[in-house]
Amino acid sequence: MGDRDQPDARAVIAAEIAARGPMRLDRFMALANAAYYGTRDPLGRGGDFITAPETTQAYGELIGAWMVEVWRTQGAPTPAVFAEAGPGRGTLMADALRLIDRLAPDFAAACSVHLIETSPTLRALQAARLGDRVAAWHESLATLPEAPLFLIASEFLDALPVRQFRRRGEAWAERAVALDGDNLVWTEIPATPPPGRAGEVSEAVEAWIAEAAQRVVRFGGAVLVLDYGHLGGAEDTLQAVRAHQPVDPLAAPGEADLSAQVDFAALARAARGAGASVFGPVPQGAFLRALGLPERTAILCRNAPPATARQLQAAARRLMDPDAMGLLFKALAVLPPGAATPPGFTP
Ligand code: SAH
């Protein structure tokens, strides 16, 4: 069931398949996720999944400090843009700005805050959280001001659509969605993958990072990507999650979060192709440890009630633990050509 004012995603998808035939996986994922994010707040314990910034304020604070450091290294360009793609509830940005206001008022004064968010529901939550700190919301990178860009994307790119190509004898096939009676079912359609590519490919992710990298090359700044992902060659990492449980991606489009792991090798290639310097990917655990997550957590715990302190410690462990988010999640930074190695990365 969709929201009352919103066309039901399943009905929209079924009608398009009935009219035009099998639907490519990337189109399916785009329609399902637009409906999903457009109609709800999926984050937190009562929602479908929990993200890093929702577990500890230290996450957004360390990212804010990273941006300030890179901005200073580039000569503190003014004016500049501090932007986030897919800000969810606005928690990361709120934590980053609180730290920046206290420790780097020069960065706060130099930057206007821009959010890239397509969901009207989440835009409203971000507005409630961040108020007049937000200069503007954007549908995409295209309308950001032409200025040095300090951009964070944390668990954003995994929501963008993927395609999947498989070898079938001498030919290639692409994963698609068809109708069997009233049911959505997987099928394959003939297709040619982009040159040299196979398996899971996200043209949307690669186009996004290329556009962000072009801006950084032209105007200065940095893009920091944190997400779960692999180093290339994956066949199928598509997953649907509802109420913290994996579900069948076809069962209820628009009612479950669809995501795919980010291909960090493709990400690095696309950013380098745009002329940028790329650092990483490094494991998130190593990255956050180098930025001082254990030390920051210890400081926060000193003034916190015991229950909160335990939560903060558990969150920090979860973000760094190799068996939790420490290895699967990765950090990658995109900077102008010739830039110095940013904090948390190795040359
Ligand atoms: N970064 C946040 C939220 C992650 S959920 C956190 O870690 O808590 C993904 C976010 O990306 C949501 O805000 C969602 O509405 C947004 N989003 C999904 N697809 C998008 C698109 N194509 N363009 C812009 N924002 C998108």
Side-chain angles (χ1 to χ4, degrees):
M1 290 288 110
D3 186 275
R4 229 181 313 128
D5 307 325
Q6 207 75 24
D8 186 297
R10 203 193 164 285
V12 170
I13 289 164
E16 188 171 315
I17 294 173
R20 298 198 208 152
M23 176 183 285
R24 266 166 46 177
L25 172 59
D26 57 342
R27 171 90 179 140
F28 172 77
M29 203 171 159
L31 288 173
N33 269 352
Y36 176 74
Y37 284 108
T39 53
R40 76 201 69 218
D41 168 16
L43 297 158
R45 272 169 224 291
D48 290 315
F49 57 93
I50 297 186
T51 55
E54 301 300 330
T55 64
T56 172
Q57 69 183 73
Y59 185 79
E61 291 171 344
L62 294 173
I63 289 168
W66 189 94
M67 290 293 174
V68 170
E69 176 81 21
V70 175
W71 175 75
R72 289 206 207 290
T73 304
Q74 293 184 15
T78 306
V81 169
F82 183 25
E84 182 174 4
R89 289 177 171 170
T91 307
L92 187 165
M93 186 53 88
D95 292 335
L97 289 175
R98 194 184 50 251
L99 177 117
I100 286 164
D101 288 347
R102 197 153 39 88
L103 298 182
D106 51 344
F107 181 75
C111 287
S112 58
V113 174
H114 292 257
L115 301 180
I116 300 144
E117 175 61 71
T118 43
S119 160
T121 307
L122 291 173
R123 278 190 186 197
L125 282 179
Q126 293 152 18
R129 189 72 185 267
L130 299 163
D132 55 13
R133 286 306 289 272
V134 181
W137 275 266
H138 303 262
E139 289 286 312
S140 72
L141 296 170
T143 50
L144 288 175
E146 303 202 330
L149 173 63
F150 297 84
L151 172 63
I152 170 73
S154 178
E155 285 193 64
F156 163 67
L157 293 174
D158 64 75
L160 300 190
V162 296
R163 302 174 70 180
Q164 290 177 359
F165 301 94
R166 290 160 192 184
R167 197 86 194 152
R168 292 289 178 243
E170 290 300 290
W172 285 99
E174 174 167 13
R175 198 174 193 194
V177 181
L179 271 176
D180 178 12
D182 274 347
N183 294 324
L184 296 173
V185 292
W186 294 117
T187 189
E188 290 182 350
I189 54 177
T192 312
R197 307 297 295 279
E200 197 168 76
V201 175
S202 180
E203 290 163 331
V205 165
E206 292 170 34
W208 188 89
I209 198 72
E211 187 177 351
Q214 276 158 19
R215 281 185 174 260
V216 163
V217 169
R218 192 158 157 223
F219 304 114
V223 188
L224 179 62
V225 173
L226 287 153
D227 219 316
Y228 59 119
H230 56 81
L231 302 179
E235 300 272 314
D236 176 17
T237 69
L238 179 70
Q239 64 166 4
V241 169
R242 190 175 187 181
H244 306 273
Q245 299 296 325
V247 295
D248 174 1
L250 298 183
E255 302 291 317
D257 174 56
L258 293 184
S259 68
Q261 290 187 26
V262 173
D263 179 344
F264 277 90
L267 207 58
R269 218 167 31 237
R272 286 202 180 95
S277 294
V278 175
F279 298 89
V282 297
Q284 171 173 286
F287 178 70
L288 293 177
R289 197 179 297 280
L291 296 192
L293 179 58
E295 293 80 3
R296 181 66 191 144
T297 302
I299 290 170
L300 292 172
C301 286
R302 246 186 261 151
N303 302 317
T308 311
R310 275 196 300 276
Q311 262 170 30
L312 290 167
Q313 293 287 6
R317 275 199 303 275
R318 183 167 170 264
L319 292 175
M320 293 187 296
D321 184 349
D323 295 328
M325 297 169 76
L327 274 184
L328 177 59
F329 282 68
K330 295 168 179 63
L332 177 140
V334 176
L335 282 90
T341 305
F345 294 91
T346 41

